[in-house]
Amino acid sequence: MNNITCQFRLSILYLLCFLFLITQACFAQWKPSAWPTLKHYDKDHLVHIALPLGGIGTGTVSLGGRGELRDWEIMNKPAKGFSTVTVGNNAPFFAINVRPAQGKAMTKALLGPLDPSEFQHYEGRPVNQHGFPRFTDASFDAAYPFGQVNLSDKRMPVTVKVKGFNPFIPGDADNSGIPIAVLAYEVSNTGQEPLVVSVCGLMRNFIGKDGSKYLKDWKGDYVPIGAKKNINNYKRQGDVQGIFMYSDSVNRQDAAWGTMALTTNSTTGVSYRTSSRSNDWENAMLDFWDDFSADGTLTEKSKLVDDDPLASLAVQKTIAPGQTQTFTFFITWNFPNRAAWASFSTKADQPAVGNYYSKQYADAWDVIVKTLPRLPVLEQKTLQFVNAFLQSDYPDVIKEAALFNLATLRSQTVFRIPSGHLMGWEGVFDEFGSCFGSCTHVWNYEQATAFLFSDLSQSMRDIEFNYATNETGKMSFRVMLPLEKAQEWKNAAADGQMGTILKFYRDWQLSGNQEFLKKNWPQVKKVLSYTWIKGGWDGNQDGVMEGRQHNTMDVDYFGPNPQMSFWYLGALKAGREMAIAMNDSELAQKCDALAKKGSTWIDQNLFNGEYYEHKITDPKTFDFLNWEHDSTVAVPDYQLGKGCLVDQLVGQMMAHMVGLGYLADRDHIQTTLQSIMKYNYLDNFSDHFNNMRSYVMGDEAGLLMASWPKGRLKVPFPYFAESMTGFEYCAAVGMLYEGQTENALKCVSAIRDRFDGRKRNPFNEPECGYHYARSMTSWNTILAWSQFHYSGVTESMTITSKPGTYFWSNGSAWGTCSVSRTGTKTNVALTVLNGKIGLRTFTVQAGGNYTFPKRQELAEGKTVNFTINEQSSNR
């Protein structure tokens, strides 16, 4: 080896070592980049804001609109309003101590002002941290998953920006499923002299105390219990230091047993306490406040005197005038003992099923040790996604609806069992889940999971077709756990079962994975064929569902109706395409014939000139009832009849999104959507009677579930007078596909105006429970506006011809597509920002198509530019 070669190799080695050291230093001192804002909330619209910080399937803690940490839902159950105590000054929070060179030091909670509606309480404890000094002014900026609280106070020489997020990277479920809340406090010196500033986080070790166990105190209040001799230890490992929280006394099989950690990546100015004095007469907090206020540092208390000892961690820095310093903290957790569905209710005899994330991390300390070195990349990939989305040419209200409802994927509505399968409640109540079992007829509506996380979507198809389906093709529309008990729920749902066929077709198309189809085809075929069994939904095989049809209205419809009919027609068309791919010509022909016959029939028999209606049949004979002319005929309760249903075209919506075209007469479809707007939209609910649940009230606007322009049934289906966002989005998406843009935006705007931070939480659209799965139907607006479609089977992509830039995703890759016009030519710039896709042809909707000279494999960071001549398809 000559000297030149040796010196060159040594130079390379030194360079690599230098880069390694620089990289490590950057990791240790990581602080957040500048974050974008989609929606700003002023001081009057903060009280109900709660942005969930947590990963897919991990549980969350929420960042409130004024900087509070609320809804500690990290212990395998919902816990709305739970902050380790019912209400009081002991809930987790952050505080700041500011020490000028001249003048008096100040200590405040890093919280905005209370709302006057929160003042009244029978004992003067209306909310958490009610008795602490707060900042006088606050506002909130959001671009999910990024939340930023702006705090200021004329009496303080600093302003503070509280920044909270958890990585969210489409196509990367594991890195979007980390049990961490990242919190950064950017403190700016607005004065004329240097300041010594300390920021401190504190939280009790409440392991075992999840809000499900209470004792009644002497005042009659229910006080949460469960923590037993819990232990806090200070730890330092590499770039991480802080308090590790565990318990040797809480039952290790309890769902509330696990570990937590409060840490920082600051290397200097760190002080801590693992406990305080005993909390008789609230003296633990007094002891902490006095200690922190004295000099901005903490003095360790070695004796743990409470079952849930109070830990605190502070970082102190000097900030020059006009400068900003960042104080970064991390809250991590690991609670491995998730039980089956009923564990969210009062039943205690449910088997444990565990958590997928707990297989990735040994404990809460392991979470931060593994995550911190990767945090710069995780943040940048999340920012890349959010910025690409925000810079796209979608209306802001559509961006808001689509992006903010992704919080549902990170709420306790969703979890992953150790096998990695995604499971979902319909939603969650305050302390337990709402409607278990990954309910097919609810989860049918949303497309966010499939278009952002294809592996999670395919895991749900695996559950439906290979665990929940019996030998006859009957699919349990709710899945029991553990999976060996999946079919113990014996009921099938007509809309649910047909929708799963369309979802399977979608997932196959998006992935292009022929093995996925080949492996599951026998089950898919069986599920579709179940429709034709004797006495079944279409037992006479005429392309129309006449039988007893259980559905998402939680009732059984009798007789042909638009909701089931369009799901069925979509399933038939999807079945035909899959049968062709599997060389099953007999089934393909059958599906094709039934779809054509059924489509013709419903246009001729269900379309009444304005919309599609329900022809009720006798549940005993399935003969059509002449109830409109004969008042002596006994019409079964809970039907739709001649009502105008808000989501009657849900199957058509799905067909458009997966590229199957029209299921019935196009003019009828367009007229129906106009009628839904005409008859179901109310711009003011003040005079509306609703005997059920109210999700829209007073002067708010929205779409009714159903209207009866020609006279209402005596006893309609139960939810007819309600208004629920997932159904409203369904109608709005249909309108977008039909070019009825003004009406669509009016509907979406009406929804988001209701979730304004003052009246309701912008990150939580409820139906039967908070964070309702159907609310993610809002993502469908992105697909409809952009007309995006991708087939991995044919390796083809479609986008709208409207000039602009559009975010796109297929579940495993995502990027942007820019469309511009020059005369009769359309110029396209397609960029892949994450993942990779294969591409052979590209179509601009109503603007021609382009065939690449050879197959393109577009990997991350690659852009391809081409031009389409409108006059002819070209290459």
Side-chain angles (χ1 to χ4, degrees):
M1 184 184 296
N2 59 44
N3 287 337
I4 294 176
T5 302
C6 183
Q7 289 175 0
F8 175 77
R9 290 186 174 180
L10 283 173
S11 297
I12 293 296
L13 180 61
Y14 291 148
L15 177 60
L16 291 173
C17 290
F18 175 76
L19 290 174
F20 175 78
L21 292 172
I22 291 295
T23 302
Q24 290 298 100
C26 289
F27 286 164
Q29 297 300 315
W30 175 86
K31 59 182 180 180
S33 306
W35 291 354
T37 297
L38 172 60
K39 183 83 170 184
H40 174 76
Y41 298 87
D42 64 24
K43 61 184 178 63
D44 296 322
H45 294 84
L46 304 177
V47 68
H48 285 302
I49 290 177
L51 187 150
L53 301 176
I56 298 173
T58 70
T60 63
V61 57
S62 290
L63 175 64
R66 296 163 294 179
E68 69 272 27
L69 297 176
R70 54 194 292 181
D71 303 338
W72 286 81
E73 301 177 277
I74 62 177
M75 296 186 184
N76 298 307
K77 68 179 291 294
K80 292 300 177 194
F82 180 66
S83 300
T84 78
V85 291
T86 46
V87 171
N89 286 332
N90 273 280
F93 76 106
F94 280 76
I96 188 170
N97 177 266
V98 179
R99 310 186 68 78
Q102 305 291 328
K104 184 179 179 182
M106 293 158 281
T107 301
K108 283 183 181 284
L110 281 162
L111 301 169
L114 294 174
D115 188 88
S117 66
E118 299 171 303
F119 284 4
Q120 182 150 336
H121 185 265
Y122 63 87
E123 203 194 26
R125 306 173 192 266
V127 294
N128 295 328
Q129 288 84 45
H130 49 80
F132 297 169
R134 293 167 171 249
F135 284 73
T136 57
D137 297 291
S139 63
F140 191 86
D141 296 314
Y144 187 82
F146 300 108
Q148 304 179 80
V149 183
N150 309 296
L151 299 175
S152 62
D153 191 320
K154 293 179 180 179
R155 296 166 295 186
M156 295 284 283
V158 296
T159 60
V160 182
K161 184 181 290 290
V162 184
K163 304 176 76 167
F165 97 110
N166 178 290
F168 189 99
I169 306 167
D172 190 346
D174 283 3
N175 281 324
S176 302
I178 304 173
I180 188 171
V182 178
L183 294 166
Y185 294 80
E186 294 179 349
V187 183
S188 299
N189 183 347
T190 59
Q192 303 299 315
E193 59 178 327
L195 299 172
V196 177
V197 175
S198 300
V199 174
C200 178
L202 70 164
M203 57 188 287
R204 288 193 170 275
N205 181 341
F206 57 96
I207 293 167
K209 187 195 292 187
D210 61 2
S212 64
K213 310 174 205 55
Y214 293 90
L215 280 179
K216 186 179 288 188
D217 67 9
W218 63 274
K219 302 186 298 293
D221 289 339
Y222 288 91
V223 180
I225 60 171
K228 298 177 183 177
K229 300 180 180 178
N230 293 349
I231 302 169
N232 297 335
N233 280 345
Y234 167 78
K235 292 182 69 173
R236 182 165 189 170
Q237 182 177 349
D239 302 325
V240 179
Q241 61 178 314
I243 313 298
F244 177 59
M245 306 179 190
Y246 64 99
S247 177
D248 290 331
S249 300
V250 174
N251 186 334
R252 294 177 69 90
Q253 306 306 313
D254 196 302
W257 175 84
T259 56
M260 303 185 297
L262 171 63
T263 57
T264 182
N265 64 344
S266 294
T267 55
T268 60
V270 178
S271 59
Y272 63 90
R273 290 166 36 136
T274 55
S275 186
S276 185
R277 63 152 291 166
S278 62
N279 199 36
D280 50 299
W281 293 100
E282 308 294 341
N283 271 295
M285 191 60 65
L286 175 63
D287 185 71
F288 156 77
W289 195 268
D290 286 347
D291 184 12
F292 184 57
S293 298
D295 57 5
T297 63
L298 302 172
T299 304
E300 167 67 319
K301 296 272 187 174
S302 59
K303 185 179 179 181
L304 304 178
V305 294
D306 292 323
D307 280 335
D308 56 349
L310 180 65
S312 46
L313 180 68
V315 176
Q316 188 172 81
K317 299 182 180 185
T318 299
I319 308 178
Q323 298 299 305
T324 298
Q325 291 278 8
T326 302
F327 302 74
T328 308
F329 296 85
F330 314 99
I331 298 171
T332 54
W333 59 89
N334 194 336
F335 290 88
N337 300 323
R338 180 176 294 276
W341 300 109
S343 64
F344 280 40
S345 73
T346 57
K347 297 179 181 179
D349 59 349
Q350 294 299 306
V353 294
N355 282 313
Y356 174 79
Y357 83 84
S358 294
K359 293 179 62 179
Q360 317 303 115
Y361 306 100
D363 54 32
W365 191 263
D366 193 39
V367 174
I368 186 57
V369 168
K370 288 180 176 176
T371 303
L372 181 58
R374 300 184 297 118
L375 194 55
V377 173
L378 296 175
E379 182 204 23
Q380 287 307 309
K381 291 301 292 184
T382 304
L383 276 170
Q384 188 180 34
F385 158 58
V386 174
N387 283 327
F389 185 81
L390 297 189
Q391 290 163 14
S392 295
D393 290 308
Y394 299 103
D396 282 351
V397 72
I398 281 182
K399 293 178 187 176
E400 179 191 333
L403 194 63
F404 287 15
N405 274 308
L406 295 181
T408 297
L409 272 178
R410 322 249 271 187
S411 70
Q412 281 287 357
T413 295
V414 166
F415 60 96
R416 296 179 72 184
I417 56 178
S419 61
H421 287 94
L422 184 73
M423 311 300 296
W425 295 86
E426 293 184 23
V428 292
F429 297 138
D430 283 350
E431 296 186 26
F432 51 88
S434 165
C435 304
F436 68 91
S438 302
C439 179
T440 56
H441 60 56
V442 169
W443 280 86
N444 276 352
Y445 286 70
E446 67 89 19
Q447 306 298 311
T449 306
F451 280 85
L452 296 177
F453 299 99
S454 59
D455 53 344
L456 297 184
S457 186
Q458 289 180 30
S459 79
M460 298 187 85
R461 304 296 80 75
D462 184 44
I463 295 284
E464 291 160 355
F465 287 91
N466 297 308
Y467 291 91
T469 299
N470 70 13
E471 66 282 355
T472 69
K474 180 181 181 180
M475 181 185 289
S476 301
F477 74 85
R478 298 189 189 277
V479 177
M480 304 298 286
L481 287 173
L483 287 179
E484 55 266 26
K485 298 182 178 181
Q487 296 176 31
E488 288 189 1
W489 181 265
K490 301 299 183 182
N491 298 325
D495 53 352
Q497 189 148 330
M498 295 302 97
T500 60
I501 295 167
L502 276 161
K503 289 187 295 186
F504 190 94
Y505 175 78
R506 174 201 62 199
D507 290 358
W508 168 56
Q509 285 287 317
L510 287 175
S511 67
N513 186 345
Q514 292 298 109
E515 284 302 310
F516 177 63
L517 175 59
K518 183 177 179 180
K519 174 185 175 183
N520 292 283
W521 175 242
Q523 289 298 96
V524 175
K525 183 175 178 179
K526 191 183 298 182
V527 166
L528 180 56
S529 300
Y530 179 77
T531 312
W532 308 318
I533 64 173
K534 185 177 180 180
W537 298 317
D538 186 16
N540 63 357
Q541 300 184 40
D542 62 353
V544 180
M545 282 192 174
E546 299 99 353
R548 179 175 186 165
Q549 303 150 68
H550 188 74
N551 62 81
T552 195
M553 301 307 173
D554 296 325
V555 295
D556 299 328
Y557 284 164
F558 297 99
N561 62 87
Q563 193 178 41
M564 303 311 117
S565 293
F566 281 99
W567 275 126
Y568 184 30
L569 293 175
L572 287 170
K573 293 192 76 169
R576 174 186 179 274
E577 297 302 313
M578 290 186 284
I580 291 172
M582 294 305 299
N583 297 313
D584 190 338
S585 59
E586 182 180 352
L587 182 61
Q589 291 172 7
K590 182 174 183 176
C591 288
D592 186 53
L594 289 177
K596 290 176 179 176
K597 189 175 182 179
S599 178
T600 299
W601 193 93
I602 67 167
D603 272 328
Q604 292 177 348
N605 294 274
L606 298 189
F607 188 71
N608 65 13
E610 292 187 287
Y611 56 87
Y612 293 90
E613 61 182 42
H614 172 199
K615 286 192 175 295
I616 302 173
T617 57
D618 187 327
K620 296 178 181 178
T621 65
F622 294 121
D623 292 331
F624 289 113
L625 295 175
N626 193 23
W627 57 271
E628 61 200 290
H629 301 299
D630 188 349
S631 60
T632 65
V633 174
V635 178
D637 287 343
Y638 310 124
Q639 303 298 292
L640 172 64
K642 293 186 175 296
C644 180
L645 187 66
V646 67
D647 67 326
Q648 59 187 279
L649 298 178
V650 57
Q652 180 61 74
M653 175 192 74
M654 186 75 166
H656 279 322
M657 286 186 294
V658 298
L660 289 174
Y662 283 94
L663 303 179
D665 185 279
R666 179 177 181 174
D667 290 339
H668 292 177
I669 299 295
Q670 294 180 339
T671 300
T672 295
L673 289 163
Q674 292 167 349
S675 297
I676 290 172
M677 194 69 186
K678 176 181 178 181
Y679 293 124
N680 293 41
Y681 186 84
L682 296 181
D683 58 13
N684 190 305
F685 272 62
S686 297
D687 293 328
H688 173 64
F689 172 80
N690 176 9
N691 58 308
M692 287 286 288
R693 304 164 301 187
S694 291
Y695 300 107
V696 187
M697 293 181 283
D699 61 359
E700 295 177 326
L703 281 170
L704 292 173
M705 291 292 289
S707 61
W708 275 267
K710 301 179 181 181
R712 201 200 74 204
L713 290 173
K714 181 68 174 177
V715 184
F717 71 92
Y719 310 132
F720 75 96
E722 296 181 355
S723 181
M724 295 178 275
T725 67
F727 294 100
E728 293 176 276
Y729 286 128
C730 179
V733 170
M735 295 171 193
L736 287 175
Y737 274 118
E738 301 307 326
Q740 298 171 19
T741 305
E742 184 178 348
N743 282 345
L745 292 178
K746 188 174 183 179
C747 291
V748 176
S749 297
I751 295 170
R752 293 310 300 175
D753 286 347
R754 306 196 299 256
F755 293 86
D756 65 352
R758 181 164 186 80
K759 294 180 289 187
R760 299 175 185 86
N761 182 6
F763 309 99
N764 177 6
E765 293 184 8
E767 190 179 309
C768 184
Y770 295 124
H771 303 292
Y772 203 77
R774 193 160 17 221
S775 69
M776 289 189 289
T777 307
S778 57
W779 187 263
N780 305 6
T781 60
I782 297 298
L783 305 175
W785 188 273
S786 65
Q787 299 285 308
F788 172 77
H789 178 254
Y790 177 76
S791 171
V793 177
T794 60
E795 296 189 318
S796 60
M797 185 181 289
T798 300
I799 205 78
T800 179
S801 59
K802 292 180 294 187
T805 297
Y806 304 96
F807 174 87
W808 61 266
S809 59
N810 76 333
S812 58
W814 47 272
T816 59
C817 184
S818 295
V819 178
S820 62
R821 302 274 297 173
T822 305
T824 61
K825 295 180 178 181
T826 301
N827 307 304
V828 179
L830 178 67
T831 300
V832 176
L833 296 173
N834 194 76
K836 63 180 180 180
I837 59 168
L839 203 59
R840 297 179 187 273
T841 62
F842 190 98
T843 300
V844 174
Q845 193 78 14
N849 60 72
Y850 183 90
T851 300
F852 291 94
K854 63 178 181 179
R855 178 184 182 272
Q856 302 285 305
E857 184 165 294
L858 304 180
E860 182 174 327
K862 186 172 182 180
T863 297
V864 59
N865 297 277
F866 52 94
T867 299
I868 300 173
N869 190 328
E870 254 185 34
Q871 296 175 352
S872 63
S873 299
N874 59 76
R875 68 180 187 184

